[in-house]
Amino acid sequence: MIELQNINKIYRVGASDFYALKNVSLTVNDGEFVSVCGASGSGKTTLLNIIGCLDTYESGTYRLDGEDISKSNDKKRAQIRNSKIGFVLQDFALINSQTVLYNVMLPLMFGKCPYGEVKSKALDALGALGVADQAEKWANQLSGGQRQRVAIARAIVNSPSIVLADEPTGQLDSKTGAQTMKLLSELNRSGITVIVVTHDANVASMAGRIITVFDGEIVG
């Protein structure tokens, strides 16, 4: 379970404080599919980064599966990210100079996966997304839809309980975007908690719950 209580994220801008998040409280139950909507600069990506243990905050409490994240150091947060959370980013964040297989193997290399299982687990993840036949291609040889599938395969290769997707359809055409959301829905039906950040109302409507962020506050 994801539990945020009165989270404040502040950036210093010149002599002033800018509140990226203001007293944000949010609970996401295990197995939910939630979309976070809002205009550019509303704070939705900052919220996702805090949930994903990528960013810290000035005040408030964040508990993930009952564990107080504010009491975790950088090493511990990295362990939590690697074991519990998969990320799908708008620009896919693939290493173009490496193969598809290598890209999906990376999270396993940084985790505790036995060396002999790394390749097979990565191939299994690619197979689950229907792109195992692309394993030996360079990442920059793929189409947009294939790159997104590889990015999702990399996100799930460590069997996370949570998948966080930041504008996952932002660089895709409408058909490929719909296919991506279908894949995320299928992941959710398998029991994974999915949180999608989007400014697209059609994308948001595919989630079970919609949260709206405006000027750093949850307004709906």
Side-chain angles (χ1 to χ4, degrees), residues 26-208:
L26 173 67
T27 298
V28 179
N29 293 311
D30 294 342
E32 275 201 271
F33 188 174
V34 176
S35 65
V36 180
C37 296
S40 178
S42 62
K44 57 188 188 297
T45 295
T46 300
L47 176 60
L48 198 75
N49 287 343
I50 288 174
I51 292 172
C53 300
L54 290 171
D55 206 351
T56 57
Y57 46 93
E58 276 60 44
S59 63
T61 303
Y62 172 28
R63 289 187 175 88
L64 179 58
D65 295 334
E67 183 173 359
D68 190 343
I69 300 301
S70 65
K71 297 179 180 178
S72 302
N73 58 25
D74 289 345
K75 182 178 180 180
K76 177 62 175 176
R77 287 197 297 272
Q79 291 172 345
I80 292 170
R81 287 196 301 270
N82 196 258
S83 63
K84 293 188 176 185
I85 302 170
F87 295 90
V88 181
L89 304 178
Q90 180 177 358
D91 62 358
F92 314 127
L94 300 180
I95 302 173
N96 287 325
S97 59
Q98 295 288 348
T99 65
V100 165
L101 181 61
Y102 180 88
N103 273 273
V104 178
M105 287 168 57
L106 267 179
L108 298 170
M109 295 176 184
F110 288 110
K112 296 181 179 180
C113 182
Y115 179 78
E117 297 178 16
V118 169
K119 183 175 180 180
S120 63
K121 283 182 176 291
L123 286 171
D124 285 346
L126 287 167
L129 272 299
V131 283
D133 59 337
Q134 307 296 315
E136 299 304 325
K137 287 188 177 181
W138 300 111
N140 62 2
Q141 294 178 306
L142 305 181
S143 68
Q146 289 172 330
R147 288 170 67 82
Q148 188 62 288
R149 284 175 179 265
V150 171
I152 295 173
R154 183 184 56 195
I156 66 169
V157 73
N158 265 340
S159 301
S161 56
I162 301 167
V163 167
L164 305 178
D166 191 359
E167 298 284 4
T169 64
Q171 295 194 30
L172 304 174
D173 59 59
S174 58
K175 180 180 178 180
T176 308
Q179 292 171 345
T180 296
M181 290 304 298
K182 182 180 178 182
L183 290 170
L184 292 173
S185 296
E186 290 171 355
L187 289 179
N188 176 247
R189 285 195 292 272
S190 75
I192 295 174
T193 302
V194 178
I195 302 177
V196 175
V197 159
T198 183
H199 66 276
D200 187 324
N202 290 326
V203 170
S205 68
M206 297 184 69

